[in-house]
Amino acid sequence: KSGSGKSVMIKCLAGLMAPDSGTIKIMDRNLLGLDQRALDELRTEIGFLFQGSALYDSMTVKENLEFPLRRHKHKFGDLTDTTPLVQEALDGVGLVHALNLMPSELSGGMKRRVALARTLILKPKIILYDEPTSGLDPITAKEIIELMRSIQNKYNTSSLIITHDVDCARVVSERMILLIDGINYAEGTFDELKTSNDKKVKAFFK
């Protein structure tokens, strides 16, 4: 539920916040032991979809997608023409036609798709989603959920999804963890947790 520590946890995983104690290992690397250069390199393998999409308002869709490419030149080299990579990423989310639009011209669902394309353009091994369906109408939320499934299958990425949307968890997840008061309280498949006799777990599925 809200306030249980979901967003704090995912920000710790992305290195945006430091935990009070403990360790964080991602792909056999201790996140807390990395210097800034090594952390930046690891981040090219970890996509992050912010809850509010976090697009740059003053940039076109194309420029928003070009930003991480230019930020991580060491991974892609000196790209003289980014258009093919931008178009490929937008095609992956069904928005090639939005190439030259400004964020203010996009609907909430389109912004979420563009933000996802910007994440995909670095071809990450893991994508962290912070409330991907938050603030969306039911139809658009369903489209985003289906898109997430499609991306998992097409790009063979692992996804860690922070959500209180039970339908999203049911459709997308292979394994679920219930976070209660900052503790990983219960773990299992959707069906296993839904049929649990634990009162705290059952409360999520009413």
Side-chain angles (χ1 to χ4, degrees):
K1 61 181 183 179
S2 297
S4 61
K6 301 187 300 296
S7 292
V8 169
M9 184 185 74
I10 201 169
K11 287 176 181 176
C12 287
L13 292 175
L16 300 175
M17 295 180 66
D20 295 329
S21 62
T23 59
I24 299 174
K25 287 189 176 181
I26 299 179
M27 291 181 282
D28 294 325
R29 280 173 277 184
N30 180 6
L31 191 70
L32 306 183
L34 300 178
D35 59 24
Q36 190 60 51
R37 182 174 179 178
L39 179 59
D40 286 345
E41 185 175 335
L42 178 60
R43 280 174 174 162
T44 66
E45 301 181 49
I46 304 171
F48 193 114
L49 184 70
F50 291 91
Q51 184 172 337
S53 299
L55 299 178
Y56 297 106
D57 293 338
S58 60
M59 296 181 180
T60 65
V61 167
K62 181 182 179 183
E63 290 168 339
N64 264 280
L65 268 66
E66 287 176 331
F67 186 85
L69 295 176
R70 302 192 190 287
R71 176 71 177 80
H72 299 287
K73 287 183 178 179
H74 63 280
K75 184 173 182 177
F76 294 93
D78 188 14
L79 290 171
T80 55
D81 184 11
T82 61
T83 302
L85 285 174
V86 170
Q87 289 182 331
E88 179 186 356
L90 285 174
D91 184 56
V93 300
L95 278 182
V96 172
H97 66 281
L99 186 70
N100 295 310
L101 296 180
M102 300 296 292
S104 60
E105 300 177 278
L106 306 175
S107 67
M110 290 172 73
K111 288 180 181 178
R112 206 66 55 92
R113 286 173 178 265
V114 170
L116 191 47
R118 186 176 60 184
T119 298
L120 287 173
I121 205 164
L122 291 179
K123 303 186 185 303
K125 295 178 181 177
I126 301 171
I127 298 180
L128 308 178
Y129 296 87
D130 189 7
E131 300 283 8
T133 59
S134 176
L136 300 178
D137 64 83
I139 295 175
T140 304
K142 184 178 179 181
E143 291 175 350
I144 294 296
I145 291 169
E146 291 173 350
L147 180 59
M148 290 160 61
R149 282 292 300 271
S150 173
I151 286 169
Q152 285 177 330
N153 295 330
K154 182 177 180 179
Y155 297 99
N156 196 31
T157 59
S158 296
S159 301
L160 192 151
I161 303 158
I162 300 295
T163 185
H164 55 236
D165 184 337
V166 176
D167 285 336
C168 176
R170 175 181 58 82
V171 174
V172 178
S173 70
E174 295 176 0
R175 182 168 67 102
M176 290 177 55
I177 295 174
L178 291 186
L179 191 66
I180 300 179
D181 297 327
I183 302 297
N184 287 0
Y185 184 82
E187 181 178 340
T189 65
F190 182 90
D191 290 337
E192 288 169 346
L193 294 180
K194 186 176 181 179
T195 56
S196 170
N197 292 320
D198 187 304
K199 290 183 179 179
K200 289 186 177 181
V201 176
K202 289 175 71 173
F204 283 87
F205 298 93
K206 288 183 178 179

